[in-house]
Amino acid sequence: MKIARVRDGAVLLGAHTPLKALYSFRDSGFLQLRNGASLHPRISPLTVRFKSFFHEQSKVEEKKMKKCDFSCGFSFYSDFDGGKASDWDFVVVNFYRFVYIKDPEEEISKHLSFLQGRDIHGRVYVNEQGINAQYSGPSKDALSYVEWLKQDRRFSDILVQISPALSGHAFPRLKLQYKPSLVQLEGGISHLPLLDPAMRATPLAPSEWRKRLEAVNNVEKTSFRADRSDLNRKLLLLDVRNGYEWDVGHFQGAPRPDVDCFRSTSFGLSESGLTASDPLAGIDKEHTDVLMYCTGGIRCDVYSAILRQKGFQNLYTLKGGVSNYLESEGPVEWVGNLFVFDSRLSLPPAAYKSEAAAEGEAELVSENSTFARCYICGSQIHELRHRNCANLDCNLLFLSCSNCVKELRGCCCSDCTYAPRIRPVLPGHQRYQKWHIYRDAEVQSQSVI
């Protein structure tokens, strides 16, 4: 469906065009069809409930539609069949854009001014190369920030990722500041030609990414037998994340990255080409398609510019990262959960489907996972979510079975159990708080005794 034009909050459609998309309305907004029919929805931040009528020829499509996807990455949900699609009270929003910002400090000032009085927590970094944001907040506040940003032509078509935060804020506070590097990498990224799309990898839509993976991982699939050129061409799937992220979820066929921090990533940079842990070592830079993926896309974009300078010619990234893929294609070719850098730590694919998330069905346990192992004893586990070592001075993120959690009191090894600053074992999926909270609680308990 093509949107003819947008005016005063209205989306003008063809007379018989099935309703496949919606626009972000204000409370006074309406949807007008060119045959004269108009819809006056009752609006809430993430749910649109229709009380009005559709053109007769659109009723069949109306009943089928459950989810409306937007080019900006929003997802709105409707209840055409009388069902109830609950709003998310809190959401986490992610977006980035490489674009020249002449005066970053002035840009930051504008953002701070807009956010005054709004309940936004998270990280928003700005510099001359653009913006990178991950934040949480009540739906109304979180989405109003996006709407405000998109009024700027530089960000009007920015891809926005939205996911539920069922336990409230996913970040402790707001950090909106100038950052020399939008992502942290050894040596910085200010020297990279990130503003030139030709110097970065070619972005693939989730559907195209899925097609390529299916062609490689299941060569017997009849829909791809005709195109033998795709199957004969060399392809390498590169996970541009950390090893502990891979441990809870990854694309099938992607080798585990031997990296503990993106800052130290060095794939394809060895001059000798003999590094055993480097999946790019020794490959044909001219005739190998390198498919790169990460959580939201920015790390791949940055690293592709480095690889381009190193002579890699056929570089492709997953547009919007894994989060965009799961929302668009579901868990096809994906196994496990998705690691996220906020208090939730891990999200199952179901979290990107509003019906499951709203009803609390976004479980962190996968009965079908066979790759995840306990860091301590090596046994197979199904709870795909890291915990931090109870030893504050270690704080290692690791996967653990329930027996090892109990035996080592939440620590990652026996040595940590004797450390001077040990936090209590956390039940369930809680996150540790600041050390002073546990320290002060211990002091208070001793004074009572």
Side-chain angles (χ1 to χ4, degrees):
M1 181 198 70
K2 294 184 179 180
I3 296 177
R5 54 191 174 127
V6 177
R7 182 182 63 196
D8 298 330
V11 183
L12 305 183
L13 310 175
H16 305 297
T17 305
L19 187 59
K20 294 284 189 182
L22 297 173
Y23 187 70
S24 178
F25 300 103
R26 296 185 181 277
D27 289 340
S28 59
F30 62 95
L31 185 70
Q32 179 181 337
L33 303 181
R34 287 191 172 181
N35 63 358
S38 62
L39 303 173
H40 299 272
R42 176 166 57 87
I43 301 302
S44 59
L46 282 173
T47 302
V48 182
R49 297 181 175 86
F50 289 88
K51 291 184 175 179
S52 204
F53 62 90
F54 282 87
H55 188 275
E56 187 67 26
Q57 297 182 8
S58 299
K59 287 185 178 179
V60 175
E61 296 294 338
E62 170 192 349
K63 291 181 180 179
K64 292 180 179 178
M65 189 176 74
K66 288 295 179 184
K67 178 176 178 180
C68 307
D69 293 325
F70 294 74
S71 61
C72 65
F74 286 123
S75 295
F76 285 67
Y77 300 88
S78 54
D79 56 349
F80 299 118
D81 294 322
K84 182 178 181 181
S86 300
D87 295 341
W88 292 330
D89 292 332
F90 272 74
V91 295
V92 172
V93 178
N94 298 268
F95 59 81
Y96 74 94
R97 168 58 60 86
F98 292 120
V99 62
Y100 177 62
I101 297 179
K102 182 178 180 180
D103 190 340
E105 296 296 342
E106 180 183 359
E107 185 74 20
I108 291 171
S109 179
K110 287 164 51 180
H111 286 241
L112 286 173
S113 178
F114 176 81
L115 291 178
Q116 286 295 321
R118 291 180 168 84
D119 188 13
I120 298 294
H121 291 189
R123 304 179 290 260
V124 182
Y125 300 143
V126 180
N127 67 18
E128 291 82 359
Q129 293 178 307
I131 186 171
N132 183 21
Q134 303 90 36
Y135 64 86
S136 63
S139 297
K140 181 179 179 181
D141 289 349
L143 297 181
S144 67
Y145 185 23
V146 173
E147 293 170 357
W148 172 80
L149 181 69
K150 287 169 69 67
Q151 292 175 11
D152 187 324
R153 60 180 177 81
R154 297 172 298 176
F155 308 107
S156 60
D157 62 343
I158 198 168
L159 178 63
V160 179
Q161 305 291 322
I162 300 176
S163 55
L166 301 181
S167 300
H169 273 299
F171 300 91
R173 62 187 182 280
L174 174 65
K175 293 193 335 185
L176 201 168
Q177 62 191 53
Y178 178 90
K179 270 275 190 179
S181 293
L182 295 181
V183 295
Q184 298 305 305
L185 196 62
E186 196 69 38
I189 65 174
S190 60
H191 63 286
L192 296 175
L194 297 175
L195 300 182
D196 182 1
M199 294 303 295
R200 307 198 305 267
T202 301
L204 297 179
S207 59
E208 176 62 21
W209 181 274
R210 172 180 173 175
K211 176 182 176 181
R212 294 201 180 202
L213 291 190
E214 287 180 335
V216 173
N217 292 338
N218 189 4
V219 296
E220 296 301 319
K221 209 171 184 66
T222 57
S223 58
F224 295 104
R225 281 178 180 170
D227 190 359
R228 301 301 303 178
S229 61
D230 283 348
L231 301 180
N232 293 332
R233 187 174 181 83
K234 294 180 181 178
L235 183 146
L236 187 144
L237 186 58
L238 183 65
D239 192 326
V240 193
R241 302 181 301 161
N242 303 312
Y244 58 80
E245 296 177 73
W246 186 98
D247 289 340
V248 297
H250 51 267
F251 280 110
Q252 295 184 28
R256 185 184 189 276
D258 187 19
V259 177
D260 293 326
C261 179
F262 179 67
R263 179 192 294 270
S264 59
T265 300
S266 58
F267 299 144
L269 305 186
S270 174
E271 298 299 333
S272 64
L274 300 177
T275 306
S277 60
D278 184 356
L280 297 182
I283 73 167
D284 188 334
K285 297 181 179 180
E286 183 178 353
H287 298 102
T288 302
D289 291 347
V290 179
L291 271 63
M292 311 166 61
Y293 74 89
C294 54
T295 306
I298 188 169
R299 284 182 284 180
C300 290
D301 254 352
V302 169
Y303 206 76
S304 69
I306 296 175
L307 294 181
R308 185 76 75 191
Q309 293 180 332
K310 287 293 182 178
F312 290 86
Q313 299 183 21
N314 305 298
L315 300 171
Y316 301 90
T317 55
L318 173 56
K319 185 177 182 180
V322 180
S323 56
N324 189 38
Y325 179 90
L326 294 178
E327 181 181 355
S328 173
E329 303 298 315
V332 179
E333 300 297 328
W334 177 265
V335 57
N337 290 352
L338 176 62
F339 184 95
V340 290
F341 287 93
D342 55 57
S343 65
R344 300 171 300 173
L345 276 183
S346 175
L347 290 178
Y352 292 90
K353 297 181 181 297
S354 77
E355 296 87 354
E359 296 172 8
E361 297 176 0
E363 297 295 333
L364 295 170
V365 177
S366 173
E367 295 297 333
N368 297 322
S369 66
T370 58
F371 65 92
R373 300 286 171 177
C374 174
Y375 173 81
I376 300 168
C377 70
S379 63
Q380 182 179 320
I381 61 175
H382 299 293
E383 187 177 356
L384 302 179
R385 187 183 190 276
H386 292 81
R387 63 170 52 243
N388 286 99
C389 179
N391 174 12
L392 178 70
D393 299 307
C394 173
N395 208 41
L396 178 73
L397 274 175
F398 67 102
L399 294 173
S400 180
C401 65
S402 57
N403 289 335
C404 288
V405 170
K406 182 178 180 180
E407 182 178 344
L408 296 181
R409 294 179 291 149
C411 293
C412 68
C413 63
S414 57
D415 289 343
C416 282
T417 62
Y418 297 101
R421 298 198 295 175
I422 297 293
R423 298 171 289 196
V425 178
L426 286 180
H429 309 305
Q430 297 181 31
R431 291 293 306 277
Y432 280 118
Q433 302 181 59
K434 297 296 183 181
W435 166 248
H436 70 82
I437 295 177
Y438 305 106
R439 179 197 60 199
D440 295 344
E442 182 178 354
V443 171
Q444 290 176 5
S445 63
Q446 291 175 351
S447 64
V448 171
I449 295 176

